[in-house]
Amino acid sequence: MSSCSREQDHIRVPNDEARVNGYLSEIFCSIQGEGLFVGKKMIFLRTAGCTTCCSYCDTGYSQKQTPQCVIFAREKRAVPNPIGVDEVVREVFDIARDSAPVRTVSITGGEPLEQSRFVASAAAVLKQSCMEVYLETNGIEVDGLAKVLPFVDVISMDIKLPSAIGCSRWSEHREFLRQATQAGGDKTVFAKVVIGDHTPASEVEMAVDLISGVGRNIPLVLQPESKVFSGRNTSTNNKNALKHLLVECQKLALERLSDVRVIPQWHKIMGVM
């Protein structure tokens, strides 16, 4: 890629990148509701398709690849899938101009790294145009990470607990985190664990051990499951159990990690996308 250009109107997508197609669920501008950068204004590219199927998934509509991508711009409209990188870039720049100032694009899902070539191509062009690229991932697709790593600035890596996905992915998580944190440059990498009122504390402890084994200074976000934490149909006992578990897990984690934060999904609390 050539040097960074601030003239987005003059960005040209190289032919080899423009021909790469992928499936998106939606494109929109909002605030980041999770993790270390909560509250930051971003444009979101939500990929379509995810094979992990977490029990607490709040974007079930993005688990499957669908015929259309919904774009929330001046007008809500739909475009056909698969969508080319050149079209994605145009849509991002249009929203960026209409929503200025905004300089960060979050590539989320679904699971972005299940379409790693498409995501890498889009991220490369966005990075060239001086957009900050923020990747939200389940932390399992190690091979996909290698393709995308040169073009991302922030990696928000989930650690999927066995109780949430029905199987253990510790080895993939460990290698993913190792590669992400050893990539060099000025990348910010942090881990996130979603905790419900029935999450086994022993699984959280295993996640903490995994993270500390890679690096004690890797930040960890403990995110309460929203349907329990702020759900209208959740009993007071369940909410209190979750709050107690969060406090205990943070205490446990701080014995091994230097930065552990409890951060709920603020976009859910605020009622925004």
Side-chain angles (χ1 to χ4, degrees):
M1 282 295 168
S2 61
S3 61
C4 177
S5 170
R6 293 189 179 275
E7 297 298 324
Q8 294 178 347
D9 289 334
H10 300 293
I11 291 294
R12 295 292 179 264
V13 181
N15 288 336
D16 55 340
E17 306 289 2
R19 287 193 294 267
V20 179
N21 295 327
Y23 284 79
L24 293 179
S25 174
E26 55 192 358
I27 305 175
F28 60 95
C29 183
S30 186
I31 64 166
Q32 176 59 250
E34 303 180 359
L36 297 186
F37 293 81
V38 65
K40 187 170 183 176
K41 189 176 183 181
M42 299 184 183
I43 296 170
F44 292 81
L45 300 179
R46 187 180 302 283
T47 61
C50 180
T51 58
T52 303
C53 299
C54 304
S55 61
Y56 50 76
C57 180
D58 58 356
T59 55
Y61 57 89
S62 69
Q63 290 182 356
K64 302 295 184 181
Q65 293 184 348
T66 54
Q68 293 182 322
C69 165
V70 179
I71 299 174
F72 298 86
R74 293 181 181 178
E75 295 179 350
K76 178 182 175 181
R77 56 192 173 84
V79 298
N81 270 322
I83 183 172
V85 167
D86 53 348
E87 186 174 356
V88 171
V89 171
R90 285 197 301 270
E91 297 290 354
V92 168
F93 290 167
D94 286 346
I95 293 175
R97 281 189 292 269
D98 291 342
S99 305
V102 54
R103 302 298 309 175
T104 302
V105 177
S106 170
I107 305 178
T108 184
E111 173 46 48
L113 296 185
E114 290 186 8
Q115 302 181 73
S116 57
R117 187 186 174 205
F118 170 65
V119 168
S121 297
V125 179
L126 293 168
K127 181 79 169 174
Q128 178 198 18
S129 68
C130 288
M131 298 295 282
E132 180 183 56
V133 180
Y134 182 112
L135 175 68
E136 302 186 64
T137 173
N138 62 21
I140 293 173
E141 305 292 332
V142 179
D143 292 340
L145 174 66
K147 299 176 185 176
V148 177
L149 258 179
F151 313 114
V152 297
D153 301 285
V154 179
I155 299 175
S156 170
M157 173 196 158
D158 276 16
I159 293 182
K160 303 299 186 182
L161 302 181
S163 57
I165 63 173
C167 62
S168 171
R169 306 304 294 265
W170 300 118
S171 59
E172 292 96 328
H173 283 324
R174 183 176 293 104
E175 181 59 20
F176 191 104
L177 190 59
R178 187 191 68 79
Q179 291 190 22
T181 54
Q182 294 182 5
D186 297 325
K187 299 185 196 307
T188 298
V189 180
F190 67 93
K192 176 163 63 71
V193 174
V194 177
I195 298 179
D197 55 322
H198 290 95
T199 297
S202 59
E203 290 187 356
V204 179
E205 186 171 11
M206 292 178 69
V208 170
D209 286 344
L210 184 155
I211 298 166
S212 64
V214 177
R216 176 179 173 81
N217 293 323
I218 299 170
L220 169 63
V221 172
L222 303 177
Q223 179 176 296
E225 188 177 336
S226 287
K227 67 180 181 182
V228 179
F229 184 75
S230 55
R232 294 181 179 179
N233 298 323
T234 304
S235 71
T236 300
N237 286 342
N238 284 10
K239 290 182 180 181
N240 288 339
L242 176 54
K243 292 174 184 178
H244 176 76
L245 181 59
L246 287 165
V247 170
E248 291 303 309
C249 287
Q250 185 182 41
K251 180 180 178 181
L252 176 155
L254 283 169
E255 295 176 357
R256 299 173 176 85
L257 300 171
S258 60
D259 187 356
V260 182
R261 312 182 198 185
V262 176
I263 304 176
Q265 290 182 297
W266 276 103
H267 61 295
K268 298 286 187 182
I269 296 171
M270 294 177 65
V272 299
M273 291 185 72

